[in-house]
Amino acid sequence: MAVNRMFRTCPASGLLFHEPAEKLMRFHAVAAVVSLLIGGILAIGVVLTRWQAIHLLPPDLFYQVLTAHGLNMLVFWIIFFEMAVLYFAGSTLLRSRLATPRIAWAAFWLMVIGALVNNYSVFRGDSSVMFTSYAPMGAHPTFYLGLILFAVGALVSCFVFLGTLVVARAERTYRGSIPLVTFGALTACIIAIFTIAAGAIILIPTFFWSVGLIDHIDSLMYKTVWWAFGHSSQQINVAAHVSVWYAVAAIVFGAKPMSEKVSRGAFLLYIFFLQLASAHHLLVDPGLTSNWKIFNTSYAMYLAVLASMVHGLTVPGAIEVAQREKGHNQGLFTWLRRAPWGNPVFSAMFISLIGFGFLGGISGVMMGTEQLNMIIHNTIYVPGHFHATVVVGTTLAFMGLTYFLIPVLFRREVMFPGMAKWQPYVFGLGMSAVSLFLMGAGTLGVPRRHWDISFAGNPFPYEFPGAAWLMMALAGISGLIAIVGGGMYLLITVGSVFLGKKIVTPGFQHVRARENVAAIPAAAPVITSHGSIGAGGMVAPGTFVLAMVFLAAFVLYYFINWKYLSTVWPLK
Amino acid sequence: MSALLPPAEQVWWKQPLDRVELIWIVIALIWCLIMFFMMPYWHIYGKQNLSNEAYRARPEEYAKKAEDMIAKYKVREEGGDLKVPVVHPPAGSDVYLIARLWSWSPMLELEAGKSYRIHLMSMDWLHGFSLQPENINIQVHPGYEHVVTVTPGSPGTYSIICNEYCGINHHTMTSRLYVVK
Ligand code: HEM
Ligand SMILES: [Cu+2]
Ligand SMILES: [Cu+2]
């Protein structure tokens, strides 16, 4: 079988696309967007039911819709998109042909079938078990089967990515080390492989249990292994969206990493210290010792948190340096004021960074503290937290990247550019508000995954304080704003990809690369010194100030919660 | 577009790092260590820590222990036709709370400022013990008997709601907890 060596060079960005890789990326992106569309429609039902004044859906439908919302968003939208990112970081950035395109296609279709089968099971109505599907609550066998097929597909795609790295090295398509963004994608891929292994360990027996071949699944064992899968997969998201941040900083500003060593070292910390993170989902569970909980939640002394704090500095830091070198060198924040706030690629990335750090990061570390978890566990604070990480953080970063990919990958002009300008703000700020209000309600004890906090008709109702109701109503309103923002994104992407004006470049075509792919690109210029930019001996003083503001917010919030904990009933 | 291109220095791990980065790494590391030490610190000096005491148990045996306790300390019934027993166990004693689809049993009446060994276990699926408005939340598993020593605060009527999704009537799984002088 002849190897396909057809490539094209993007006239706008200079990126080199391998023909099959390009097609695969397009299909993954489309599958991702379709999942987002489904999840987004379901979000309307979720948010309007939890807004008690509207209380849209009946209970069975609510739990069904919530299950499907979680799965389509968290699993299908994000992972389809991530696989596109892997192929981009592997094949396109390394200017290499994709290894084994046929296998990659088989993996893609396996993922599609898995997603369909899983959605079918939830649609049946007997699998409203939430995406966590805690045994011994059982779902229809197709629920687990769908997830297993999807996971196998994703695993195979990961190996195609690794294979591509091998091909690129063997065919010498680049010089030296792989680019930072590819390094980040590699981090995501390695974590994904471990994660999916954990998923297999738990989902395969559960599938056998659901068809009657195994008669008992221990609930604690299930929950522990499930979160080795469920939590680590969030780390895939973090590694992926941090890579996207670096990519966007490079695309929009030509920013170079402040230092490769620090950024890569931080990615390595993710790999080394993440696997045990399932512990923070078990902090209030019986049968595990405090020592185990403390060691594992602290991710061996919070080294993964440290890594995220480092990326949180180096990404804006790199932007600041690039901006200052372009002449925006006055004062502390001129570089930021002069940033292209009307360019959705940038604004999405920047809101993603701030929202992920300030809302998602701080709340996550707080919740993940052994004792503090007691006043948070399973309240709606938890969805508040992860809508900041996985929606404002990951989803919005991917949205920003899409605006770059539409012309480059799909060769279409972005439709409704005026709307695109606003989309990251509507979605990002709406969603940040959702997170904040859900966190507020959670602090007042409002449970997650709960149909009716009015407890109507219940012999022992609990009356939540008025503030909790207000918070849920505000979450509902901001949820609608976020849904509008999501709708704008869908309209723009679907419109552009299928109906947008084609970008035609005369003489443009795929060309056969003879020996290798193309001329090896020059490496990035060596940075000898940053000249005279910055202030106070720092090249990025503005970023440093932002980081200190972040730290102050973090410390304050962390200790406020200890204070709050100290007022609840003593227990031991 | 350098994050997209191979690094100029082949040996990127030998590149010097910038001052901003170095200072931030040191600060962030110190903060992470402080957060790490807060947990053991609270185990020694704090008053709110979950116990490590848990036993494997069979649902029937656990239910039996709870029934025995109910027979001994029942003071009344509540909830009309539901006839949920209310128990007033002596301070310091072992109190058994059963979680099942979709109810809690028995209802507890405890004395403020006294300590009780509250046992929690589910008969079937996962449930969530959520005491409101205190907002103390504990996961309840089937087959694991979790013992927490609790000292109720001020007198009043508290609610227990289930906050782990446990099927279609999850939102109806509520109970009360009375704290008396
Ligand atoms: C577009 C606007 C969105 C709105 C208004 C929204 C709203 C909500 C709300 C209110 C809940 C909590 C329901 C409850 O626990 O009772 C929820 C759950 C959830 N959402 Fe979203 N969401 C949106 C988008 C997303 C996106 C983009 C993702 C993922 C990338 C996502 C992932 C999830 C997950 C995983 C759950 C948890 C489901 C469960 O508890 O099983 N959501 N959503
Ligand atoms: Cu329950
Ligand atoms: Cu429940």
Side-chain angles (χ1 to χ4, degrees), chain A residues 325-397:
Chain A
E325 283 178 342
K326 275 188 212 135
H328 307 297
N329 192 26
Q330 315 82 328
L332 270 182
F333 294 114
T334 309
W335 62 275
L336 192 57
R337 264 206 316 280
R338 301 257 173 91
W341 292 100
N343 177 352
V345 181
F346 167 73
S347 61
M349 172 259 157
F350 207 79
I351 298 172
S352 158
L353 180 111
I354 298 291
F356 179 78
F358 277 84
L359 299 177
I362 294 180
S363 63
V365 173
M366 190 284 278
M367 280 194 321
T369 305
E370 194 205 358
Q371 294 92 343
L372 295 177
N373 189 254
M374 242 175 335
I375 52 175
I376 290 302
H377 183 71
N378 268 350
T379 65
I380 197 122
Y381 189 99
V382 178
H385 151 73
F386 66 68
H387 280 74
T389 55
V390 94
V391 186
V392 182
T394 311
T395 300
L396 191 55

Side-chain angles (χ1 to χ4, degrees), chain A residues 4-23:
Chain A
N4 180 331
R5 286 186 188 277
M6 300 296 277
F7 286 85
R8 74 167 175 85
T9 307
C10 168
S13 63
L15 291 169
L16 191 73
F17 286 96
H18 181 221
E19 196 180 20
E22 181 178 11
K23 201 162 170 210

Side-chain angles (χ1 to χ4, degrees), chain A residues 63 128 177 181 218-219 261 285 290 309 370-371 374 377-378 443 449 458 460 524 568-572, chain B residues 6 8 13 15 24 39 43 47-49 52 134 137 139 141 144 149 151 153 163-165 170-171 174:
Chain A
Y63 292 128
S128 303
S177 308
V181 172
D218 182 80
S219 65
K261 176 162 68 178
D285 289 44
S290 292
M309 288 174 77
E370 194 205 358
Q371 294 92 343
M374 242 175 335
H377 183 71
N378 268 350
T443 312
R449 301 173 165 176
N458 192 310
F460 313 115
V568 312
W569 292 1
L571 73 181
K572 57 184 191 295
Chain B
W13 56 90
Q15 256 178 44
W24 178 243
M39 293 189 279
H43 272 282
K47 292 213 174 66
Q48 293 80 10
N49 289 291
N52 291 326
E134 275 306 287
N137 305 284
Q139 190 82 41
H141 281 261
Y144 292 86
T149 304
T151 315
N163 75 355
E164 178 60 76
Y165 172 68
H170 159 58
H171 48 275
T174 60

